[in-house]
C-alpha cells in the first residue's frame, strides 16, 4: 500500500489534520470578511474543516489501512450535513474533493509532512 522505506506515521497524520483544521477555520473567517464574492472560498474551507473534524473524531490515524477505510466510508456517504454554508451542492462537491485528495495522500503515504497553512 505504501513505500516500505517510509513507514506510516499516525502522529504526523494527526498533526497534519489538526493544522489543516485550524487553517480551514482561518480561511473561513477571511472569506466571511470578504463577503459575497468569497462564498465559494468559504464553502471550500468549511468542507476541509468538516473532513478534518470527521477524521480526527474517528481516531483511526494509527494504521494506514484503518485511515483509508474511514475515508472510503466517508466517500460512500450520500449527504454531508453542515450549518452555515452558502451552497449545499458546492459544499458536497468540495467535501468529496477533499476526501479524494486525502485518499490519494493516504495511498501514497506522502504529503502529510507539509504542515504549512497554504498548500
Amino acid at each position: 500500500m505504501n513505500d516500505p522505506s517510509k513507514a506510516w506515521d499516525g502522529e504526523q497524520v494527526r498533526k497534519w489534520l489538526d493544522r489543516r483544521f485550524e487553517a480551514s477555520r482561518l480561511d473561513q473567517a477571511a472569506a466571511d470578511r470578504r463577503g459575497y464574492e468569497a462564498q465559494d472560498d468559504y464553502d471550500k474551507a468549511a468542507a476541509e474543516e468538516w473532513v478534518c473534524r470527521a477524521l480526527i473524531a474517528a481516531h483511526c490515524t494509527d494504521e494506514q489501512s484503518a485511515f483509508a477505510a474511514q475515508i472510503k466510508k466517508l466517500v460512500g456517504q450520500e449527504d454531508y450535513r453542515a450549518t452555515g454554508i452558502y451552497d449545499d451542492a458546492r459544499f458536497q462537491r468540495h467535501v468529496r474533493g477533499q476526501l479524494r485528495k486525502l485518499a490519494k495522500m493516504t495511498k501514497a503515504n506522502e504529503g502529510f509532512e507539509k504542515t504549512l497553512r497554504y498548500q
Side-chain angles (χ1 to χ4, degrees), residues 41-110:
D41 293 338
Y42 184 90
D43 288 346
K44 188 174 186 176
E48 186 173 18
E49 178 192 0
W50 188 93
V51 168
C52 290
R53 178 178 286 146
L55 290 171
I56 289 169
H59 303 292
C60 59
T61 59
D62 290 330
E63 293 182 28
Q64 187 175 12
S65 59
F67 192 66
Q70 182 64 26
I71 292 171
K72 188 174 183 178
K73 179 183 168 190
L74 291 173
V75 168
Q77 283 185 358
E78 287 186 29
D79 195 25
Y80 306 101
R81 300 275 179 195
T83 57
I85 56 174
Y86 291 101
D87 185 340
D88 288 334
R90 183 172 50 206
F91 175 77
Q92 306 282 333
R93 187 174 59 246
H94 287 314
V95 167
R96 286 190 178 86
Q98 287 292 326
L99 289 169
R100 283 192 301 273
K101 172 186 163 186
L102 273 169
K104 288 178 186 177
M105 288 173 61
T106 301
K107 185 175 182 181
N109 190 18
E110 60 185 31

